[in-house]
Amino acid sequence: MMRSAEPQFPAFRPAAADDWGTIEALLTDASLPLEGSHAHLASFIVGELEGVIVCAGALEPYGEAALLRSVVVSANRRGSGFGAILFDEVSGMAKARGVDQLFLLTTTAAPFFAQRGFAVVARETVPAALQASHEFQGACPASATLMWLSLK
């Protein structure tokens, strides 16, 4: 009887400058906005599997609140559970940095984030600093769903 292969999970690390091309390709492939992403490269985490970046996610911090953005898994790894693991890594980074509220805008992933405790909220609830971000200023369409999660 053949044993099934042990599941492999990505190894996570902070993104490096050399990772931008791969992150950009992942975001483009998933039709996620690039505007403002590169400026927050220091807040990206990447997940590698066998030396290949298979997922990435970032925070855009604004004091005790942060915009969760650019959460992406490579097309050939979607549905593998990597998105949930990536979210845990990014939210852990947020907590370590003193962030107690996460906001995000999404056009496609509201159910995924709702399963992780996010609630749909009105745009008026967002701190002014976040409303000045690229995502709120047009990188995401006005029709995008705004969601919020308390990390307290």
Side-chain angles (χ1 to χ4, degrees):
M1 188 164 139
M2 245 179 149
R3 268 183 74 193
S4 62
E6 293 294 315
Q8 289 190 327
F9 297 104
F12 291 93
R13 63 171 174 78
D18 291 351
D19 297 328
W20 177 248
T22 303
I23 293 169
E24 182 179 34
L26 286 170
L27 295 174
T28 300
D29 181 58
S31 300
L32 292 174
L34 293 175
E35 296 89 346
S37 293
H38 190 264
H40 295 280
L41 185 60
S43 293
F44 266 89
I45 291 176
V46 296
E48 288 182 316
L49 192 59
E50 298 174 356
V52 176
I53 294 174
V54 295
C55 57
L59 289 176
E60 197 169 309
Y62 295 92
E64 293 177 355
L67 186 60
L68 179 64
R69 64 171 299 163
S70 306
V71 175
V72 65
V73 175
S74 64
N76 64 336
R77 298 292 181 170
R78 291 185 192 135
S80 65
F82 289 5
I85 298 166
L86 172 62
F87 171 73
D88 290 344
E89 291 290 322
V90 176
S91 63
M93 177 177 68
K95 289 176 189 174
R97 292 183 178 185
V99 171
D100 60 18
Q101 297 184 78
L102 287 178
F103 291 88
L104 64 85
L105 289 164
T106 183
T107 58
T108 60
F112 173 85
F113 288 108
Q115 289 176 344
R116 279 141 195 88
F118 279 83
V120 175
V121 294
R123 289 185 183 247
E124 299 77 42
T125 64
V126 177
L130 264 83
Q131 290 188 22
S133 71
H134 283 281
E135 287 208 357
F136 277 90
Q137 294 301 310
C140 280
S143 60
T145 302
L146 172 62
M147 301 182 83
W148 168 84
L149 175 69
S150 172
L151 296 177
K152 290 182 181 177

